[in-house]
Amino acid sequence: MLADIGGTNARFAALDSKGRISRLRILPAANYASLRDASLAWLDSVGLTGQVGRGAIAVASPIAGDRITLTNRDWSFSASRLKRSLGLDRLEIVNDFAAIALCIPSLTSRDVLRIGPGKKAAGAPVAILGPGTGLGVSLLVPAGKGWLPVATEGGHVSLPAADETDAAIIETLRRRFGHVSAERVLSGPGLADLYTVLAALEGRSVEERAPPEVMDAALNGSDPLAIAAVERFCAFLGTVAGDIALTAGARGGVYIAGGIVPRLGNALKRTPFRARFEAKGRFKTYLRDVPTYVITREQPAFGGLKNLLRSG
């Protein structure tokens, strides 16, 4: 059993002895009281109850000990109890973006969309980030002849302002939420908040729109405010991605995953993302040489979980 558990969706698939992934199901997490319930529902729906011996689960939360609590979903569980209740001989649990990091070495040019210039430096660290229900951040660092994934909570760093509009947005959000993390803007809820905050800064009020509605209206050009919200979202993403690249020395490239940015496709190239990524003063040249990619492969966490089980 492979599972990728986020704040909104619980994705499950089967991995057979030949390394083939099948029986993918995406279950709304809100429909289940626990990860165990969702897992059992998937096993039953695909006819595998009692037939699975190993499992690898990626969860959107820190992993520290046996008790795991999801950051953006009210699920908490014991890894050892979950293993027993599902009848598994082996269960691996990793951070969801650590799982995506494990997938990076197996990606090909068909699995990514390149944004901007740069060339990967061989053997250099790689950074991965992705807005979805929250903001995931991980690293992939060289370790001997292989690679080591590093799970982080980089999505919860303080969001920086690169211009006056950024500062006004952050101040508005600070009055509402207190601490303004990168995730506060770079997430689905964050995109919806950007929409209403930008309207407020223009002195007008608008009805709240769900994140997919904001994205759709921006992509089809039907709402100038939605276009502005998505462009500002991409600008913040570029700033945060550049900070992560500098912090990690990620000359091996920066990869963007998650459920939001891949929807933009080539439209991302027309946003301020790459300009803001490079806008780091004296280190602009350094960052110009760092390539940025959007992961377009479906369910990249499953590829990482597959690699994890194979390595054990």
Side-chain angles (χ1 to χ4, degrees):
M1 180 183 80
L2 305 180
D4 178 17
I5 311 300
T8 302
N9 293 310
R11 299 171 174 85
F12 294 90
L15 177 68
D16 68 20
S17 59
K18 295 183 180 180
R20 296 174 298 197
I21 297 175
S22 63
R23 308 190 198 197
L24 171 65
R25 300 286 189 278
I26 300 177
L27 308 182
N31 290 356
Y32 301 91
S34 66
L35 174 55
R36 176 182 179 275
D37 289 349
S39 301
L40 291 173
W42 172 77
L43 287 166
D44 181 64
S45 71
V46 297
L48 288 177
T49 301
Q51 300 180 47
V52 176
R54 297 185 301 161
I57 302 177
V59 292
S61 67
I63 309 296
D66 185 66
R67 172 61 57 176
I68 297 166
T69 300
L70 269 67
T71 301
N72 291 305
R73 167 60 50 189
D74 58 350
W75 286 358
S76 181
F77 63 95
S78 158
S80 58
R81 289 182 181 177
L82 182 65
K83 177 184 174 182
R84 289 195 299 271
S85 66
L86 296 180
L88 301 176
D89 299 319
R90 177 186 175 192
L91 176 60
E92 300 286 346
I93 299 179
V94 296
N95 172 267
D96 58 339
F97 268 73
I100 295 175
L102 285 166
C103 184
I104 297 297
S106 62
L107 296 179
T108 70
S109 60
R110 297 187 300 273
D111 299 317
V112 298
L113 173 65
R114 186 186 181 98
I115 306 295
K119 183 179 180 181
K120 291 188 287 187
V126 172
I128 306 96
L129 72 158
T133 305
L135 176 64
V137 179
S138 64
L139 307 175
L140 191 66
V141 298
K145 296 182 179 180
W147 294 91
L148 177 69
V150 180
T152 84
E153 290 302 319
H156 299 281
V157 301
S158 298
L159 182 66
D163 61 25
E164 291 181 358
T165 301
D166 283 1
I169 290 168
I170 292 170
E171 180 55 31
T172 301
L173 292 172
R174 182 179 291 113
R175 289 196 296 268
R176 179 178 174 187
F177 296 108
H179 177 242
V180 181
S181 66
E183 179 176 285
R184 183 62 66 188
V185 164
L186 296 176
S187 61
L191 177 58
D193 284 339
L194 268 179
Y195 183 80
T196 56
V197 168
L198 287 174
L201 292 177
E202 294 176 2
R204 59 193 180 101
S205 61
V206 293
E207 291 186 4
E208 292 185 3
R209 304 187 74 170
E213 294 176 329
V214 177
M215 181 64 76
D216 289 343
L219 290 173
N220 65 32
S222 63
D223 184 347
L225 182 61
I227 294 171
V230 169
E231 288 190 348
R232 185 60 55 169
F233 181 95
C234 294
F236 274 119
L237 181 64
T239 294
V240 171
D243 286 349
I244 293 170
L246 288 174
T247 302
R251 295 182 299 111
V254 174
Y255 290 78
I256 302 169
I260 297 176
V261 178
R263 286 197 60 198
L264 288 170
N266 281 304
L268 183 62
K269 298 176 181 179
R270 300 191 291 273
T271 73
F273 165 75
R274 183 69 200 197
R276 288 277 288 261
F277 177 80
E278 297 179 10
K280 302 297 180 185
R282 291 176 297 162
F283 273 72
K284 181 173 183 176
T285 301
Y286 179 99
L287 286 171
R288 187 179 295 131
D289 291 336
V290 176
T292 50
Y293 307 91
V294 176
I295 299 175
T296 57
R297 179 194 281 189
E298 295 289 333
Q299 315 300 340
F302 285 164
L305 293 174
K306 172 182 172 179
N307 292 339
L308 175 65
L309 286 175
R310 282 182 161 181
S311 67

